[in-house]
Amino acid sequence: MNALAKLTILETKMFFRDKMQVFWTFLFPVLMIWLFGSMFKDGKIGGLTFAEAYVPSWIGVNIVTTAFFTLGTVLASYRETGVLRRYQSTPLKPWKILFAHTVQGTVIFAISAVILAIFGSLLFHLGMPKYLGSTLLALVISIVSFFPLALFLTSLGKNTQTSAAISSLCLNLMMFLSGATFPLQMMPDFLQYVAKALPLYYVIELLRATWNTAPIWERGTDVIVLLGIAVISIVLSSRFFRWSDKS
Amino acid sequence: MSTVITVQQLSKRYGTVQAVNDISFNVERGEIFGIIGPNGAGKTTTIEILEGLRKRDGGLVEVLGLDPQKNRTALNEKIGVQYQATSIQKKMKVKEAVDLFSSFYSRKENSKDIIEILGLEEKMNHFFGDLSGGWKQRVTLALATLHQPEIVFLDEPSMGLDPHARRELWSIIQLLRDRGCTIVVTTHYMEEAEKLCDRVAMIYNGEIKALNEPRLLLDEMAVNYLSFYSNEIDELQLAALPGVVKVENEEFFFKVFTETMQQTAYYLFKHCEEHAISLTDFKFEKGTLDDLFVHFLEKGKKDERIG
């Protein structure tokens, strides 16, 4: 087996060895859905039922948590503890490291998405996505834009703590202002504009739409914005990839 | 013997700080070459330039016929690096780490060998994070050597190890050398340099102050001294004895540095007998690299004051 496959499998295995991380990644979103479900269960949000609006949204939020915490913060800690530096003096190429973590993140995210969908269907009678192909494609586009974005933003931190702080800031900001938790319609105009400046807004719009109302080709703006973020953040994250926190 | 590393007039500065200043040396195949000096002397910068991790500002560097700055990928196949205080993932098992790192190299060697030498069999199923400092050091040393590199770079390998683990590490390093590996090691433990290295370069303020076999270095320098206790002797009279270079006095414990040990001792005893001065605990002391080191530090400080 080659280095790339070994690294990917090993990183995935190690994720599951950290019980705390497993709990927060897989159960926290379920708890949130259950919590919001007991608040908004019978309300309609923009013409959608609670589950139709919130389950796709929280799948979107999970892309953000995976990107910032499972990928970004972990790589920042690898940078600080010298794990990456040790790789640096082997023939292993940096893109393989980033790729391995991206695949690992995708696997973990996919599991969490399936858990959420099953939970939604059991508790809130949520159906399968109406445009399954579109939803899957939307997820891929969202991952491609968020993973490198998180890798770049967390690499700006001087150490693991600052990277974790950057992650928390991004996550909280987007979680509360992108319509994932509180419906945007409830918010003042000003905050609705702020929402549109946050990348997660487009992920949530795209996922809600493809799950319930429209195929992906009718959501051109969302796709273009996300692909734009993807291109910029891939360039930035590979251009500014650092092996260690020293120079 | 053939030369595996050539360094000529290497220099490197960070901002206004000249970290490495015009140093030159060669490393021969199969030797343990020590780079010693105080913290911040330029040891790590030098070794990292050899490994290709840092760019140099000037000079020529050739490692195994390659320029580390230009051919790092090719060089990485042939060298092994043990860093100062870096770790691998805590939740990785030792056997997984060995397996992973083996897959990085195109040269497929049998890593069983190195595991046996390092005695790692019993720890193969342990998580890296659960190991003690000494074992962690062994694991990372295994990862740096499992592809049978031609040169192994060790940056402060025994930092934080207890004396027993340190001695075990030395014998492992010597074993690696006996198997044909060239070792470049930095340390600020002078004892380590003395017992482990075939040759040492002493770096201070980014410059090489001395370069030779540890034993010859000590012979060259006047760091041998007589030591004794006496509460009656006069320091000025001691300094006037034949051959005396310097006298140190700490609470009646005297160190008399001399180039002619026997002669000075003779006149010392003569002086004491004639004046009925008692000496206790008299010893001929051979200087260590520690003394030599302190000698350079003090000299450096003196030069700074003058300059």
Side-chain angles (χ1 to χ4, degrees):
Chain A
M1 213 177 354
N2 66 24
L4 186 57
K6 271 196 175 140
L7 190 60
T8 310
I9 292 168
L10 208 48
E11 284 294 340
T12 312
K13 247 192 203 168
M14 286 191 288
F15 170 85
F16 285 98
R17 283 175 188 165
D18 191 343
K19 299 287 174 279
M20 276 297 276
Q21 231 194 339
V22 172
F23 171 81
W24 284 107
T25 311
F26 295 136
L27 285 182
F28 182 68
V30 171
L31 282 174
M32 289 303 276
I33 288 289
W34 176 72
L35 192 74
F36 279 96
S38 36
M39 291 196 286
F40 301 122
K41 201 159 151 186
D42 305 315
K44 284 267 178 185
I45 300 124
L48 303 172
T49 67
F50 163 75
E52 283 168 351
Y54 271 77
V55 171
S57 303
W58 273 87
I59 288 176
V61 170
N62 261 11
I63 293 180
V64 182
T65 42
T66 313
F68 278 94
F69 290 96
T70 311
L71 263 75
T73 311
V74 166
L75 269 160
S77 80
Y78 283 6
R79 195 171 288 123
E80 193 181 0
T81 55
V83 170
L84 293 185
R85 204 165 171 70
R86 191 165 291 281
Y87 288 149
Q88 193 183 4
S89 56
T90 70
L92 184 68
K93 298 253 186 345
W95 73 264
K96 289 192 180 176
I97 301 170
L98 292 177
F99 191 83
H101 281 266
T102 304
V103 173
Q104 174 232 25
T106 307
V107 169
I108 290 159
F109 163 72
I111 296 170
S112 76
V114 169
I115 292 176
L116 268 179
I118 290 173
F119 185 74
S121 88
L122 290 179
L123 220 68
F124 303 105
H125 314 292
L126 176 71
M128 283 286 280
K130 210 173 207 162
Y131 303 92
L132 185 60
S134 288
T135 308
L136 292 177
L137 192 59
L139 287 174
V140 170
I141 292 171
S142 306
I143 285 171
V144 176
S145 71
F146 259 92
F147 282 11
L149 178 68
L151 287 173
F152 170 66
L153 290 176
T154 49
S155 79
L156 298 176
K158 274 250 174 286
N159 52 38
T160 315
Q161 279 96 326
T162 38
S163 297
I166 291 171
S167 298
S168 296
L169 180 73
C170 293
L171 175 66
N172 284 309
L173 208 66
M174 291 200 265
M175 196 163 74
F176 290 110
L177 291 180
S178 298
T181 40
F182 301 109
L184 282 181
Q185 294 85 333
M186 281 168 54
M187 294 182 190
D189 285 351
F190 159 69
L191 284 181
Q192 296 201 18
Y193 284 117
V194 173
K196 286 182 185 165
L198 297 172
L200 183 60
Y201 170 84
Y202 301 94
V203 170
I204 287 172
E205 288 293 300
L206 192 58
L207 288 178
R208 275 185 184 167
T210 54
W211 199 293
N212 302 300
T213 53
I216 196 162
W217 51 88
E218 287 177 24
R219 306 292 307 186
T221 320
D222 299 334
V223 172
I224 287 166
V225 170
L226 289 174
L227 287 179
I229 294 170
V231 171
I232 293 167
S233 51
I234 286 171
V235 170
L236 287 176
S237 64
S238 47
R239 169 73 184 77
F240 292 104
F241 179 80
R242 288 183 302 131
W243 291 98
S244 72
D245 44 10
K246 289 191 276 179
S247 72
Chain B
M1 262 207 252
S2 60
T3 303
V4 286
I5 299 176
T6 312
V7 176
Q8 276 168 21
Q9 290 160 340
L10 174 67
S11 61
K12 170 80 185 174
R13 60 165 57 238
Y14 301 117
T16 57
V17 182
Q18 190 74 43
V20 174
N21 190 7
D22 195 27
I23 66 174
S24 304
F25 62 88
N26 289 336
V27 178
E28 306 299 327
R29 187 175 294 279
E31 73 173 335
I32 301 180
F33 186 85
I35 300 175
I36 62 178
N39 296 329
K43 301 185 302 278
T44 299
T45 302
T46 306
I47 205 170
E48 285 182 350
I49 289 171
L50 298 183
E51 292 156 3
L53 300 182
R54 280 184 197 280
K55 290 194 165 73
R56 59 183 184 266
D57 294 336
L60 186 122
V61 176
E62 226 178 66
V63 180
L64 297 168
L66 299 167
D67 181 341
Q69 205 164 306
K70 291 183 190 139
N71 302 306
R72 212 185 74 210
T73 318
L75 190 61
N76 280 345
E77 287 273 356
K78 300 186 194 176
I79 63 168
V81 177
Q82 166 86 310
Y83 294 103
Q84 213 181 94
T86 67
S87 76
I88 57 168
Q89 292 89 326
K90 287 190 183 69
K91 297 268 175 191
M92 198 184 270
K93 285 180 183 168
V94 175
K95 66 170 177 200
E96 291 169 338
V98 169
D99 188 40
L100 177 69
F101 276 73
S102 303
S103 73
F104 294 163
Y105 298 94
S106 56
R107 191 154 104 194
K108 291 294 166 209
E109 295 287 351
N110 196 348
S111 57
K112 275 209 186 93
D113 237 23
I114 194 76
I115 286 163
E116 212 180 293
I117 291 175
L118 289 164
L120 283 176
E121 296 99 336
E122 49 170 314
K123 301 286 181 189
M124 289 303 267
N125 277 312
H126 286 61
F127 288 122
F128 183 77
D130 295 341
L131 299 175
S132 69
W135 281 108
K136 278 186 177 147
Q137 201 69 302
R138 282 181 188 222
V139 171
T140 52
L141 190 58
L143 300 181
T145 50
L146 48 78
H147 56 296
Q148 299 197 351
E150 291 177 48
I151 306 176
V152 179
F153 294 94
L154 307 164
D155 198 0
E156 301 276 356
S158 58
M159 192 126 86
L161 294 188
D162 63 49
H164 177 65
R166 191 174 298 163
R167 276 185 178 70
E168 284 187 337
L169 182 73
W170 293 347
S171 50
I172 291 165
I173 292 171
Q174 277 160 345
L175 199 64
L176 286 172
R177 189 256 326 260
D178 296 342
R179 287 156 51 99
C181 205
T182 307
I183 318 266
V184 178
V185 55
T186 71
T187 182
H188 65 263
Y189 295 117
M190 296 304 127
E191 190 201 356
E192 181 160 276
E194 257 180 276
K195 299 222 167 117
L196 182 65
C197 300
D198 297 317
R199 283 195 309 146
V200 293
M202 195 176 265
I203 295 192
Y204 179 66
N205 270 346
E207 289 171 17
I208 293 188
K209 300 289 183 186
L211 191 151
N212 215 330
E213 289 172 34
R215 198 175 40 82
L216 294 177
L217 265 188
L218 292 171
D219 288 349
E220 265 172 35
M221 312 280 169
V223 287
N224 297 336
Y225 59 91
L226 312 169
S227 78
F228 54 88
Y229 280 97
S230 172
N231 48 13
E232 295 159 27
I233 206 157
D234 180 53
E235 200 173 327
L236 284 173
Q237 283 176 336
L238 272 181
L241 293 175
V244 173
V245 177
K246 189 175 66 165
V247 179
E248 283 178 9
N249 173 11
E250 225 176 280
E251 307 249 343
F252 307 118
F253 177 68
F254 287 89
K255 283 185 179 176
V256 178
F257 291 83
T258 170
E259 282 160 355
T260 51
M261 299 271 274
Q262 189 179 330
Q263 189 196 28
T264 307
Y266 169 74
Y267 283 106
L268 172 68
F269 282 117
K270 190 161 171 272
H271 173 80
C272 291
E273 276 301 304
E274 284 167 5
H275 297 85
I277 298 167
S278 80
L279 297 183
T280 49
D281 217 5
F282 177 89
K283 278 189 194 116
F284 283 105
E285 298 274 18
K286 198 166 165 49
T288 61
L289 281 181
D290 262 328
D291 298 311
L292 191 58
F293 193 55
V294 171
H295 165 77
F296 278 118
L297 274 176
E298 283 171 352
K299 196 162 158 253
K301 277 185 198 140
K302 217 181 278 170
D303 292 348
E304 271 165 36
R305 275 201 296 272
I306 294 163

